[in-house]
Amino acid sequence: MANWHCFKALERFFLFDVLSNSLFSVTEPVYDYLQGRPVKAADLVQIEADLAELKGRGLLSDTREIEPEIVREPLLKALCLHVSHDCNLRCRYCFAGTGPFGGKRENMSFEVGKKAIDLLLRNSGGRQQLEVDFFGGEPLLNFNVVKQLVAYGREAAGSCHKQIHFTLTTNGLALDEPVRSFLNREEIALVLSLDGRPGINDRMRGKGCYEKVVPNFLALIREREEKNYYLRGTFTAFNRDFSEDAAHLYNLGFRELSLEPVVELEGEYRLSGVYLEELKKEYERLAELYLEKRRQGAGFTFFHFEINLEHGPCLLKRLTGCGAGFDYFAVTPAGDLYPCHQFVGRSEFLMGDVFSGITRLDLRTEFGAATLYKKEGCSDCWSRFYCSGGCHANAHFINGSIYKPDQIGCELQRKRLELALALKGIEMYEK
Amino acid sequence: MKLIQPLVQGNLASTVRTGGCGECKNSCQSACKTSCTVGNQVCQKQ
């Protein structure tokens, strides 16, 4: 049933109500009953009484949601500024084709970046909280423009009573003291790229990379009191035991982790469906590590395990997803606009530029309408309000359509969500 | 209730009336950049 999901995770049984976002601890007979297995007569009476009571209290939904009419103004919210289409690494799995996204290696000028920020501010309506991510390539190869754009963005946003939250994604090679000092002083949220153990990291990111970047990352997080960052790694078929990489990163001193499966169509490091069960088991090991550290009172954050059942986003946000191509765009060094950073270089998705604005209104309408109900298989999936139909770019990359989610990604998403719910449940139970 | 114990009582459905302000974080911008994980964002109205 798409409204409830009963599952076993971390040696316990849980029931999740999709529409209310309520979570229950259940006994094994309840689990068996909801899986359609036979249960003892005495248990059956109690199970049905308990379920009826919860339905009566509105905590279990009897019917699925009525699909609300989604009306949204086409306002901007976030930009991903590709300030450099060049890179000082040559990572094998890079979706930017080692920096230039199939184009030429170039940096963004201040003028183009300024136009992008102006476009964001001018087209964000009443929204006050806006976002700009400095991305690449490697954005620190154009550090002077980053500095200029932060100063300009803060001033321009302030003058129209808005706030821009800046993030920057970096491979860490250029994180010297003056750069770190700037990023910390300006409270720029950071995504730090590192895959884990030295051999694992250097196999994909280049020999000697680990040794060069780890001291920089450690100095950086120490100087910012270990806040406002994510250590973000990619795992591939070469490290299907990625919980070992998480443990390694934790032992180095990193507490805010995000490890993502590589999205690739071919190559020896591709994560094909053959590995699915193995990867699910590995997420279980990661959840056990997470639980162990949290029980010890040690800080440990894993991006996909951090869910907020009580104060998460509203239903409209969950139906409409990440906003790529509608209120979120990527900007190339030349000023071209694409639905998001992963679409950059795919000419059929060129949507305008920072000088003329968004000109492909047809595409914007299409992206805006690509809610989870329009995506294949999503309406009946119990995790629909957590992934919102999944990543448009991954769907298009794997299946040639933003409406056809990558099924391996879906399986992993559901597994991560089960574990996130179980971790939340155990935390509540042990409080 | 003997066999089912509520751990978290949510109210997601009611947000269809109160939500949609567009102030919460863009979902993949802050950490992953490769997956859509809207459910772990936090409502800015709270």
Side-chain angles (χ1 to χ4, degrees), chain B residues 1-38:
Chain B
M1 283 186 297
K2 292 178 178 171
L3 302 179
I4 304 178
Q5 180 188 354
L7 296 169
V8 180
Q9 301 185 22
N11 62 350
L12 177 61
S14 68
T15 65
V16 76
R17 295 187 298 275
T18 58
C21 70
E23 297 288 0
C24 60
K25 277 188 182 173
N26 185 274
S27 53
C28 84
Q29 186 92 311
S30 57
C32 62
K33 303 294 277 191
T34 49
S35 64
C36 186
T37 38
V38 169

Side-chain angles (χ1 to χ4, degrees), chain A residues 42-114:
Chain A
D43 284 337
L44 182 62
V45 172
Q46 188 61 50
I47 291 167
E48 290 184 340
D50 283 5
L51 291 175
E53 183 181 334
L54 289 170
K55 285 183 203 172
R57 289 165 58 189
L59 294 175
L60 273 182
S61 316
D62 231 353
T63 54
R64 56 168 304 128
E65 75 272 17
I66 298 165
E67 296 180 14
E69 188 188 358
I70 298 170
V71 182
R72 291 188 296 164
E73 265 189 279
L75 300 173
L76 291 181
K77 163 75 180 171
L79 292 180
C80 180
L81 296 187
H82 291 221
V83 288
S84 179
H85 267 189
D86 199 358
C87 192
N88 42 7
L89 285 180
R90 294 290 182 267
C91 305
R92 292 170 66 185
Y93 47 47
C94 182
F95 62 70
T98 73
F101 289 82
K104 58 180 178 180
R105 296 187 183 275
E106 59 182 339
N107 284 345
M108 180 180 284
S109 67
F110 171 66
E111 276 309 308
V112 166
K114 181 174 173 291

Side-chain angles (χ1 to χ4, degrees), chain A residues 23 129 131 133 306 322 341, chain B residues 5 7 23 26 33 40:
Chain A
L23 181 66
Q129 307 299 323
E131 294 168 41
D133 183 41
E306 309 306 316
C322 70
H341 54 292
Chain B
Q5 180 188 354
L7 296 169
E23 297 288 0
N26 185 274
K33 303 294 277 191
N40 56 10

Side-chain angles (χ1 to χ4, degrees), chain A residues 336-339 346-353 359-360 363:
Chain A
D336 290 338
L337 296 168
Y338 286 88
R346 302 188 211 177
S347 58
E348 70 271 34
F349 288 103
L350 176 61
M351 293 183 69
D353 59 51
T359 49
R360 286 291 307 275
L363 261 187

Side-chain angles (χ1 to χ4, degrees), chain A residues 245-259:
Chain A
D245 293 289
H248 178 82
L249 294 169
Y250 180 90
N251 290 333
L252 281 175
F254 299 108
R255 297 291 182 267
E256 314 277 319
L257 304 183
S258 166
L259 293 177

